[in-house]
Amino acid sequence: MDSRFEQQEKVLVSAYVQVLRDTDESDAKAWAYIVTKAVDGGLSKEILCQELSYDWSTMTRWMAGRSAPPPFTRRALKQEFIRLLQTRPFVFAAE
């Protein structure tokens, strides 16, 4: 049986996954929001860079809204964010 903390963590991750699903990745201006919500949901920039093979500077530009991935890759990247959120164990840290 899951502990109360694990249950709360699952609910929180599910909420972030739903936010990602509901956000239109075709809008380049929404991309900063998508990446930020993935990070808020428990994915660090380090994990994203490692898992997606992107540079730290690229991830930083995406989060700042200064650039976005090419349109043809956004849906696949968003799906990967969702997969990572759903499958990786996380430790949420207060910032």
Side-chain angles (χ1 to χ4, degrees):
M1 183 174 196
D2 291 338
S3 72
R4 184 179 181 129
F5 175 76
E6 289 169 332
Q7 290 172 350
Q8 290 173 343
E9 185 178 357
K10 286 179 183 180
V11 169
L12 181 61
V13 168
S14 293
Y16 280 107
V17 165
Q18 192 59 49
V19 167
L20 291 178
R21 284 187 176 135
D22 291 344
T23 305
D24 181 10
E25 72 278 349
S26 66
D27 180 3
K29 293 179 182 176
W31 196 249
Y33 179 77
I34 290 170
V35 178
T36 300
K37 290 303 165 192
V39 171
D40 291 349
L43 297 173
S44 68
K45 283 198 285 188
E46 293 86 357
I47 289 171
L48 292 173
C49 292
Q50 177 184 357
E51 293 290 329
L52 303 173
S53 299
Y54 279 96
D55 290 334
W56 177 270
S57 59
T58 300
M59 209 57 63
T60 300
R61 283 192 305 274
W62 289 354
M63 288 185 73
R66 292 192 309 264
S67 68
F72 58 90
T73 64
R74 291 181 197 149
R75 173 169 270 157
L77 286 169
K78 186 174 90 167
Q79 292 304 318
E80 188 63 11
F81 291 171
I82 291 168
R83 185 192 69 77
L84 289 169
L85 279 171
Q86 292 175 325
T87 60
R88 291 179 71 89
F90 298 101
V91 175
F92 292 93
E95 294 190 34

